[in-house]
Amino acid sequence: MTGVISRVLSSTIGLKFIVGITGAGMFAFTLVHMLGHLQMFAGPDAYNTYAATLQGLGALKWLARAGLLAMIALHVWGTVTLTARNRAARPEAYQKDRKVEASLASRTMIYSGLFLACFVLFHLAHFTLGWTHPDEFALQDQLGRHDVYAGMVLAFQSPLMSLFYMVAVALLCFHLSHGVSSLFRSLGLMSPRFRKLEEQFAIVSAWSIFLGFVSVPVAILVGVIR
């Protein structure tokens, strides 16, 4: 069993599969997280109820978080390893020719991915663990629950924090615009017949997630959510 895992991790096909499957998992998590995030528009009780429900999952909650961090680590490791192998295998002249054809999103995948990994860690420290803003994290609503709604409003009332968050989401969606379409290829699901449809799905998904996430800090900045 150990030998099989070792061969998978050392082969290019195995690494591509790992990058694809972890990318699919993170895409699904991002979509679900965005839908939960939009409950901010339903008011403090609805959002705090949503947050309390997640907190009530207990061990499952920490298992999900550990799984997410493991997927991020495997995805980054697989991507960096594949990039290093590709650069070592390709002549310099061939690289230059390919860069002309490649999209900006595909050429910067490794950089946007590393930035997003750092952002996820900051995001967890801010909203999940309360390390960066402990006063906001300690707030409670009238029912004695952790007032996540108020913490979100206070955080995004800062134009600098909102800008940082929106830039991170923009990079996430820029990453997804290429990543979602390439994961079909990594998992062996790419079909020339449906290639255009898969690319359109990636673009629509990226824009939908961007608008969904960014709508909350924008609504807080303009006073729609307060």
Side-chain angles (χ1 to χ4, degrees), residues 108-130:
T108 58
M109 284 290 283
I110 187 169
Y111 305 111
S112 61
L114 289 172
F115 174 86
L116 289 170
C118 294
F119 171 74
V120 168
L121 294 176
F122 171 78
H123 191 63
L124 288 172
H126 185 181
F127 290 110
T128 302
L129 301 173

Side-chain angles (χ1 to χ4, degrees), residues 140-184:
Q140 293 186 338
D141 65 9
Q142 294 178 344
L143 298 178
R145 301 175 300 186
H146 177 38
D147 199 344
V148 186
Y149 180 92
M152 292 276 284
V153 172
L154 289 172
F156 290 131
Q157 280 178 342
S158 165
L160 187 61
M161 178 62 74
S162 290
L163 178 62
F164 171 66
Y165 181 85
M166 287 187 281
V167 168
V169 171
L171 278 175
L172 167 65
C173 296
F174 190 61
H175 191 88
L176 286 175
S177 68
H178 174 75
V180 172
S181 61
S182 65
L183 74 83
F184 289 106

Side-chain angles (χ1 to χ4, degrees), residues 40 51 75 107 124 155 160 207:
M40 283 289 292
H75 192 78
R107 296 201 307 269
L124 288 172
L160 187 61
W207 272 107

Side-chain angles (χ1 to χ4, degrees), residues 95-114:
Q95 272 191 327
K96 290 180 179 178
D97 290 340
R98 290 290 294 170
K99 283 182 180 179
V100 174
E101 299 175 8
S103 67
L104 179 61
S106 64
R107 296 201 307 269
T108 58
M109 284 290 283
I110 187 169
Y111 305 111
S112 61
L114 289 172

